[in-house]
Amino acid sequence: MIGFLRGKLVFKAPPLLMLDVNGVGYEVEAPMTTFYNLPAIGSEIMLHTHLVVREDAQILFGFSAEADRAMFRTLIKVNGVGPKLALTILSGQSAEEFHRCIHNNDTQALVRLPGVGKKTAERLVIEMRDRLPDLSDSTDSVDSSAVGGDKIQRVNNPKQEAISALCSLGYKPLDAGKMVQNISAEGKNCEDIIRLALQGSVR
């Protein structure tokens, strides 16, 4: 419903921050990876957002990088992982570090995070393994500059955009990554890569 917010930072106290967007104050909860990049109070920032609607509350979560929001959305699909725990995981590890833990089956690193026990760590490794693209594909999408400046920062990575689009079409991230990994991105846009990937998948 709300894809991003751009406005003046008027308050920050982890995990809560507030943005003044054209005179409306939006309370946003964010991971520490976002707070580390926040400028001074009064600066203009842009955050990628995800709205969680519950019976007793509507909570807006914000992220400096699109990769972090995508990771958050994937995490909350795991059985037993709610928005609060997902925020904790993203606060304790970067998206790249979390990818590495999953691909290396490193449950010991995961249990070091607050609220993550052994069973939860094992569940994360099992359920997230097929939901995450290869590390080499995913880490290129991290955009640490998106939190500041007066322009919306977008990832200029047509292969990663193609993977995301294929996932939206129902392909698993690992399968989508394999479909585009051998396609050269030189001179091609996202749509070209998707077309070639789909053509290859039916051969």
Side-chain angles (χ1 to χ4, degrees):
M1 180 179 178
I2 303 176
F4 73 90
L5 289 175
R6 182 171 59 192
K8 184 191 301 182
L9 179 64
V10 296
F11 173 83
K12 56 179 178 178
L16 185 67
L17 58 86
M18 184 179 289
L19 287 185
D20 180 343
V21 181
N22 296 324
V24 179
Y26 287 87
E27 291 185 343
V28 182
E29 294 194 22
M32 289 309 303
T33 46
T34 291
F35 272 88
Y36 295 147
N37 294 319
L38 288 178
I41 296 293
S43 301
E44 183 176 272
I45 65 171
M46 192 279 286
L47 295 174
H48 304 278
T49 57
H50 178 86
L51 179 64
V52 172
V53 178
R54 302 190 322 220
E55 290 183 1
D56 60 341
Q58 295 185 25
I59 306 174
L60 198 60
F61 294 88
F63 309 88
S64 60
E66 169 59 30
D68 286 342
R69 181 177 67 169
M71 182 72 73
F72 175 86
R73 288 175 166 173
T74 304
L75 280 167
I76 60 177
K77 295 178 182 178
V78 175
N79 184 32
V81 177
K84 294 292 185 181
L85 182 55
L87 209 66
T88 298
I89 292 172
L90 288 173
S91 292
Q93 291 185 333
S94 66
E96 180 179 353
E97 290 170 338
F98 183 77
H99 272 79
R100 190 172 294 111
C101 286
I102 298 302
H103 288 295
N104 293 338
N105 298 324
D106 191 356
T107 57
Q108 292 185 350
L110 293 173
V111 297
R112 298 190 190 106
L113 298 171
V116 179
K118 183 178 180 181
K119 290 185 178 180
T120 301
E122 292 172 348
R123 189 183 304 119
L124 282 167
V125 168
I126 292 171
E127 295 193 28
M128 293 289 287
R129 186 183 294 124
D130 292 335
R131 298 179 182 180
L132 294 178
D134 291 335
L135 182 62
S136 59
D137 291 323
S138 61
T139 53
D140 288 341
S141 67
V142 177
D143 181 11
S144 60
S145 64
V147 73
D150 57 359
K151 293 183 179 180
I152 299 174
Q153 303 293 326
R154 296 193 180 273
V155 180
N156 186 21
N157 187 333
K159 292 187 75 170
Q160 184 60 41
E161 291 175 3
I163 291 173
S164 297
L166 288 168
C167 291
S168 298
L169 292 173
Y171 290 93
K172 291 183 177 180
L174 281 175
D175 294 335
K178 291 176 182 177
M179 289 169 66
V180 306
Q181 65 182 359
N182 294 324
I183 299 175
S184 172
E186 185 175 356
K188 299 182 181 68
N189 59 26
C190 174
E191 290 76 14
D192 294 333
I193 295 173
I194 293 172
R195 184 177 62 254
L196 291 172
L198 291 174
Q199 289 175 350
S201 69
V202 297
R203 288 176 183 173

Short mmCIF file of all heavy atoms in Angstrom, two decimals, residues 58-92:
data_model
loop_
_atom_site.label_atom_id
_atom_site.label_comp_id
_atom_site.label_asym_id
_atom_site.label_seq_id
_atom_site.Cartn_x
_atom_site.Cartn_y
_atom_site.Cartn_z
N GLN A 58 -1.63 -0.92 13.05
CA GLN A 58 -1.04 -0.87 11.72
C GLN A 58 0.37 -0.34 11.89
O GLN A 58 0.56 0.78 12.36
CB GLN A 58 -1.86 0.04 10.80
CG GLN A 58 -3.26 -0.46 10.53
CD GLN A 58 -4.00 0.39 9.53
OE1 GLN A 58 -3.41 1.06 8.69
NE2 GLN A 58 -5.33 0.38 9.61
N ILE A 59 1.36 -1.14 11.54
CA ILE A 59 2.76 -0.81 11.79
C ILE A 59 3.50 -0.68 10.47
O ILE A 59 3.44 -1.56 9.62
CB ILE A 59 3.44 -1.87 12.67
CG1 ILE A 59 2.64 -2.09 13.95
CG2 ILE A 59 4.87 -1.45 13.01
CD1 ILE A 59 3.16 -3.24 14.80
N LEU A 60 4.19 0.44 10.32
CA LEU A 60 4.96 0.70 9.11
C LEU A 60 6.43 0.42 9.40
O LEU A 60 7.00 0.95 10.35
CB LEU A 60 4.76 2.16 8.67
CG LEU A 60 5.11 2.53 7.23
CD1 LEU A 60 4.28 1.73 6.24
CD2 LEU A 60 4.89 4.02 7.02
N PHE A 61 7.04 -0.42 8.58
CA PHE A 61 8.45 -0.74 8.71
C PHE A 61 9.22 -0.09 7.55
O PHE A 61 8.73 -0.07 6.42
CB PHE A 61 8.67 -2.26 8.70
CG PHE A 61 8.08 -2.96 9.89
CD1 PHE A 61 6.77 -3.40 9.87
CD2 PHE A 61 8.83 -3.15 11.05
CE1 PHE A 61 6.20 -4.04 10.97
CE2 PHE A 61 8.28 -3.79 12.16
CZ PHE A 61 6.97 -4.23 12.12
N GLY A 62 10.40 0.45 7.86
CA GLY A 62 11.16 1.16 6.84
C GLY A 62 12.58 0.64 6.72
O GLY A 62 13.18 0.20 7.70
N PHE A 63 13.13 0.73 5.50
CA PHE A 63 14.44 0.17 5.21
C PHE A 63 15.20 1.10 4.26
O PHE A 63 14.63 1.61 3.30
CB PHE A 63 14.31 -1.21 4.59
CG PHE A 63 13.41 -2.13 5.38
CD1 PHE A 63 12.04 -2.16 5.13
CD2 PHE A 63 13.92 -2.92 6.39
CE1 PHE A 63 11.19 -2.97 5.87
CE2 PHE A 63 13.09 -3.74 7.13
CZ PHE A 63 11.73 -3.77 6.88
N SER A 64 16.48 1.27 4.52
CA SER A 64 17.29 2.14 3.67
C SER A 64 17.60 1.50 2.33
O SER A 64 17.84 2.18 1.35
CB SER A 64 18.60 2.51 4.38
OG SER A 64 19.36 1.35 4.67
N ALA A 65 17.58 0.16 2.28
CA ALA A 65 17.89 -0.55 1.04
C ALA A 65 16.73 -1.45 0.65
O ALA A 65 16.11 -2.09 1.50
CB ALA A 65 19.16 -1.39 1.21
N GLU A 66 16.46 -1.52 -0.62
CA GLU A 66 15.40 -2.39 -1.12
C GLU A 66 15.70 -3.85 -0.79
O GLU A 66 14.80 -4.65 -0.51
CB GLU A 66 15.26 -2.21 -2.63
CG GLU A 66 14.37 -3.24 -3.31
CD GLU A 66 12.95 -3.28 -2.78
OE1 GLU A 66 12.46 -2.22 -2.33
OE2 GLU A 66 12.33 -4.36 -2.82
N ALA A 67 17.00 -4.22 -0.79
CA ALA A 67 17.37 -5.60 -0.47
C ALA A 67 16.95 -5.97 0.94
O ALA A 67 16.53 -7.11 1.20
CB ALA A 67 18.88 -5.79 -0.63
N ASP A 68 17.03 -5.03 1.88
CA ASP A 68 16.62 -5.31 3.25
C ASP A 68 15.11 -5.50 3.35
O ASP A 68 14.62 -6.35 4.09
CB ASP A 68 17.07 -4.18 4.18
CG ASP A 68 18.57 -4.21 4.44
OD1 ASP A 68 19.19 -5.25 4.19
OD2 ASP A 68 19.11 -3.18 4.88
N ARG A 69 14.35 -4.68 2.60
CA ARG A 69 12.90 -4.84 2.62
C ARG A 69 12.51 -6.19 2.01
O ARG A 69 11.62 -6.88 2.52
CB ARG A 69 12.20 -3.71 1.86
CG ARG A 69 10.68 -3.86 1.91
CD ARG A 69 9.95 -2.72 1.23
NE ARG A 69 10.16 -2.69 -0.21
CZ ARG A 69 9.46 -1.92 -1.04
NH1 ARG A 69 8.54 -1.11 -0.57
NH2 ARG A 69 9.71 -1.93 -2.33
N ALA A 70 13.19 -6.56 0.93
CA ALA A 70 12.89 -7.85 0.31
C ALA A 70 13.20 -8.99 1.28
O ALA A 70 12.45 -9.97 1.36
CB ALA A 70 13.70 -7.99 -0.98
N MET A 71 14.30 -8.86 2.00
CA MET A 71 14.66 -9.88 2.98
C MET A 71 13.62 -9.94 4.10
O MET A 71 13.22 -11.03 4.54
CB MET A 71 16.03 -9.57 3.57
CG MET A 71 16.53 -10.61 4.57
SD MET A 71 17.00 -12.13 3.76
CE MET A 71 18.53 -11.63 2.99
N PHE A 72 13.17 -8.79 4.56
CA PHE A 72 12.15 -8.72 5.60
C PHE A 72 10.88 -9.44 5.14
O PHE A 72 10.30 -10.24 5.88
CB PHE A 72 11.85 -7.25 5.91
CG PHE A 72 10.73 -7.02 6.88
CD1 PHE A 72 10.97 -7.03 8.25
CD2 PHE A 72 9.43 -6.77 6.45
CE1 PHE A 72 9.94 -6.80 9.16
CE2 PHE A 72 8.40 -6.54 7.34
CZ PHE A 72 8.66 -6.56 8.71
N ARG A 73 10.46 -9.18 3.93
CA ARG A 73 9.25 -9.80 3.41
C ARG A 73 9.38 -11.31 3.28
O ARG A 73 8.42 -12.05 3.43
CB ARG A 73 8.89 -9.17 2.06
CG ARG A 73 8.37 -7.74 2.18
CD ARG A 73 8.14 -7.10 0.84
NE ARG A 73 7.33 -5.89 0.98
CZ ARG A 73 7.08 -5.04 -0.01
NH1 ARG A 73 7.58 -5.27 -1.23
NH2 ARG A 73 6.34 -3.97 0.19
N THR A 74 10.59 -11.76 2.98
CA THR A 74 10.82 -13.20 2.89
C THR A 74 10.85 -13.82 4.27
O THR A 74 10.31 -14.91 4.49
CB THR A 74 12.14 -13.49 2.16
OG1 THR A 74 12.13 -12.86 0.87
CG2 THR A 74 12.36 -14.98 1.96
N LEU A 75 11.46 -13.14 5.22
CA LEU A 75 11.56 -13.66 6.58
C LEU A 75 10.19 -13.87 7.22
O LEU A 75 9.96 -14.87 7.89
CB LEU A 75 12.40 -12.72 7.44
CG LEU A 75 13.92 -12.82 7.30
CD1 LEU A 75 14.59 -11.63 7.97
CD2 LEU A 75 14.42 -14.12 7.91
N ILE A 76 9.29 -12.91 7.04
CA ILE A 76 8.00 -13.01 7.74
C ILE A 76 7.11 -14.10 7.14
O ILE A 76 6.04 -14.39 7.68
CB ILE A 76 7.25 -11.66 7.76
CG1 ILE A 76 6.96 -11.15 6.34
CG2 ILE A 76 8.04 -10.63 8.55
CD1 ILE A 76 6.17 -9.84 6.32
N LYS A 77 7.54 -14.71 6.04
CA LYS A 77 6.82 -15.85 5.48
C LYS A 77 7.22 -17.15 6.15
O LYS A 77 6.55 -18.17 5.97
CB LYS A 77 7.07 -15.95 3.97
CG LYS A 77 6.51 -14.79 3.17
CD LYS A 77 6.84 -14.94 1.70
CE LYS A 77 6.33 -13.75 0.89
NZ LYS A 77 6.70 -13.87 -0.55
N VAL A 78 8.32 -17.12 6.92
CA VAL A 78 8.79 -18.32 7.61
C VAL A 78 7.92 -18.58 8.83
O VAL A 78 7.62 -17.65 9.60
CB VAL A 78 10.27 -18.17 8.03
CG1 VAL A 78 10.72 -19.37 8.86
CG2 VAL A 78 11.15 -18.01 6.80
N ASN A 79 7.52 -19.80 9.03
CA ASN A 79 6.69 -20.17 10.16
C ASN A 79 7.36 -19.80 11.48
O ASN A 79 8.50 -20.20 11.73
CB ASN A 79 6.42 -21.68 10.12
CG ASN A 79 5.47 -22.13 11.21
OD1 ASN A 79 4.57 -21.39 11.61
ND2 ASN A 79 5.67 -23.32 11.71
N GLY A 80 6.67 -19.02 12.30
CA GLY A 80 7.21 -18.64 13.60
C GLY A 80 8.03 -17.36 13.61
O GLY A 80 8.49 -16.93 14.66
N VAL A 81 8.21 -16.76 12.44
CA VAL A 81 8.98 -15.51 12.37
C VAL A 81 8.02 -14.36 12.05
O VAL A 81 7.48 -14.27 10.95
CB VAL A 81 10.08 -15.58 11.30
CG1 VAL A 81 10.81 -14.24 11.20
CG2 VAL A 81 11.05 -16.70 11.61
N GLY A 82 7.79 -13.50 13.04
CA GLY A 82 6.95 -12.34 12.84
C GLY A 82 7.76 -11.11 12.49
O GLY A 82 9.00 -11.16 12.42
N PRO A 83 7.09 -9.98 12.26
CA PRO A 83 7.80 -8.75 11.90
C PRO A 83 8.85 -8.31 12.92
O PRO A 83 9.93 -7.84 12.54
CB PRO A 83 6.67 -7.72 11.80
CG PRO A 83 5.46 -8.53 11.48
CD PRO A 83 5.62 -9.81 12.23
N LYS A 84 8.56 -8.46 14.22
CA LYS A 84 9.51 -8.03 15.24
C LYS A 84 10.80 -8.84 15.17
O LYS A 84 11.91 -8.30 15.25
CB LYS A 84 8.89 -8.14 16.62
CG LYS A 84 7.72 -7.20 16.87
CD LYS A 84 8.18 -5.75 16.91
CE LYS A 84 7.02 -4.84 17.29
NZ LYS A 84 7.43 -3.42 17.32
N LEU A 85 10.66 -10.17 15.05
CA LEU A 85 11.85 -11.01 14.98
C LEU A 85 12.61 -10.78 13.68
O LEU A 85 13.85 -10.77 13.66
CB LEU A 85 11.46 -12.49 15.10
CG LEU A 85 12.62 -13.49 15.09
CD1 LEU A 85 13.65 -13.15 16.17
CD2 LEU A 85 12.10 -14.91 15.28
N ALA A 86 11.87 -10.56 12.59
CA ALA A 86 12.52 -10.26 11.32
C ALA A 86 13.35 -8.98 11.43
O ALA A 86 14.47 -8.90 10.91
CB ALA A 86 11.48 -10.12 10.21
N LEU A 87 12.81 -7.99 12.12
CA LEU A 87 13.52 -6.74 12.33
C LEU A 87 14.78 -6.98 13.17
O LEU A 87 15.84 -6.40 12.91
CB LEU A 87 12.62 -5.73 13.02
CG LEU A 87 12.88 -4.24 12.74
CD1 LEU A 87 12.58 -3.93 11.28
CD2 LEU A 87 12.01 -3.37 13.63
N THR A 88 14.66 -7.86 14.17
CA THR A 88 15.81 -8.19 15.01
C THR A 88 16.91 -8.86 14.20
O THR A 88 18.10 -8.55 14.35
CB THR A 88 15.39 -9.12 16.16
OG1 THR A 88 14.43 -8.45 16.98
CG2 THR A 88 16.57 -9.53 17.00
N ILE A 89 16.51 -9.78 13.34
CA ILE A 89 17.50 -10.49 12.51
C ILE A 89 18.22 -9.51 11.60
O ILE A 89 19.45 -9.54 11.46
CB ILE A 89 16.79 -11.58 11.68
CG1 ILE A 89 16.29 -12.70 12.61
CG2 ILE A 89 17.73 -12.16 10.62
CD1 ILE A 89 15.41 -13.72 11.92
N LEU A 90 17.48 -8.60 10.97
CA LEU A 90 18.09 -7.63 10.08
C LEU A 90 18.93 -6.61 10.83
O LEU A 90 19.84 -6.00 10.26
CB LEU A 90 17.01 -6.90 9.27
CG LEU A 90 16.33 -7.74 8.18
CD1 LEU A 90 15.17 -6.99 7.57
CD2 LEU A 90 17.34 -8.11 7.09
N SER A 91 18.62 -6.41 12.12
CA SER A 91 19.43 -5.50 12.93
C SER A 91 20.76 -6.13 13.32
O SER A 91 21.76 -5.45 13.49
CB SER A 91 18.67 -5.10 14.20
OG SER A 91 17.55 -4.30 13.89
N GLY A 92 20.75 -7.47 13.45
CA GLY A 92 21.95 -8.16 13.89
C GLY A 92 22.88 -8.57 12.78
O GLY A 92 24.07 -8.82 13.01
#
